[in-house]
Structure formats: C-alpha cells, structure tokens
Amino acid sequence: MHINPERSSRPDYALLERQVESVLEGERSLMTNAAQFSALVYDTLADLNWAGFYFTVPARKGEGLDLLVGPFQGKPACARIPFGRGVCGTTAVERKTIVVPDVHAFPGHIACDSASNSEIVLPLIKDGEVLGVFDIDSPLLNRFSDEDREGLERMLAAFMDGTDFS
C-alpha cells in the first residue's frame, strides 16, 4: 500500500522503490502502471512541475521514430518529440539518463513549459529496444543530483519489471 510521505528534495529512494513495487502489485497494464508511477513521482519529489512518460512510436513524417506523450502529471505537454530533438529525444538516441542542470543551456532544448529550468530524462529500455523515456522537469535550476539519478533509475527498473509492454 502506498503511504504518502511529504514531498522531499532528498527522498528515501529505497522506500520509494518499494512503494513502486507495492503500487504496481497485481497489475501489469502499461497505461495503468505508467499513470501510477507518474503520480507517485510527482507526489513525492519536491520542486517538480512535470513528471511523465513519452513512448516510442513511428514518426508521423518520414522515417524514424518519435516520442508520443503518455501518462503524466503537470501542465499540458509537447505531444510528439522526434528522436534526437531536445532532452527527451537525445536520451532516446543516447540510451542513457541525462541530467540537465539548466535546460536553457541545452542545445536544442524544447520548451514545452517556460517555467522549467532543470530536467532529468531516463530511457525505458527492454530487450535492447528503446520503448520511451520518463521525463521530469523542475522550475529550479540544478534540481537533480546523482542521488536522484540513481534512485530514479532504480524506481524505473521496478516499474519496468512490473509492467508489460506488449
């Protein structure tokens, strides 16, 4: 059962990893689990203005792949982002977590919300395939630390283990 701790800029990631497992227990639906995961992150980490998923889909124009917005918490977002564009698209291409202390200094940053100043984006990789990304924005500069990156990667691994993507 999810127990809502106060929002924290230094959360107990071991506890949050267990909470992910608890919240997803008995349900493997991608959309349900993605909605639950987004809500858990948004509700427990302090100083966020967006947290959510983008899933890999065929590009609407030409060849290649896009990221299409999925379940999230926060203001309306960019609906579609091409692989390679912005922090989310770069994360999908590079297949690694990207922490951006100041999004305004990131080449090609896509400003879906002008209030965002820092960002962390984690790739969703299963069986060698990039299935999408999990994106978190903050109105604060330098909001995300190595501790956040490591903790969020463990939480996302629990999400991936508990979710069917077919």
Side-chain angles (χ1 to χ4, degrees), residues 60-94:
R60 199 170 23 190
K61 298 177 184 177
E63 297 193 19
L65 299 170
D66 285 346
L67 295 166
L68 185 63
V69 71
F72 69 90
Q73 298 284 308
K75 292 181 181 180
C78 298
R80 188 177 286 260
I81 300 171
F83 267 41
R85 280 208 58 222
V87 182
C88 289
T90 301
T91 297
V93 169
E94 292 187 5

Side-chain angles (χ1 to χ4, degrees), residues 85-88 90-91 98-100 102-110:
R85 280 208 58 222
V87 182
C88 289
T90 301
T91 297
I98 297 179
V99 177
V100 182
D102 179 355
V103 296
H104 308 291
F106 188 89
H109 173 254
I110 301 169

Side-chain angles (χ1 to χ4, degrees), residues 19 21 34 37 46-47 57 84 92 106 108 110 115 150-151:
Q19 294 235 336
E21 293 165 352
F37 186 86
D47 304 314
V57 296
F106 188 89
I110 301 169
E150 292 169 5

Side-chain angles (χ1 to χ4, degrees), residues 97 99 120 122 145-154:
T97 300
V99 177
I120 183 170
L122 303 93
S145 65
D146 281 338
E147 181 182 350
D148 292 312
R149 179 187 52 75
E150 292 169 5
L152 288 163
E153 287 175 344
R154 288 192 310 274

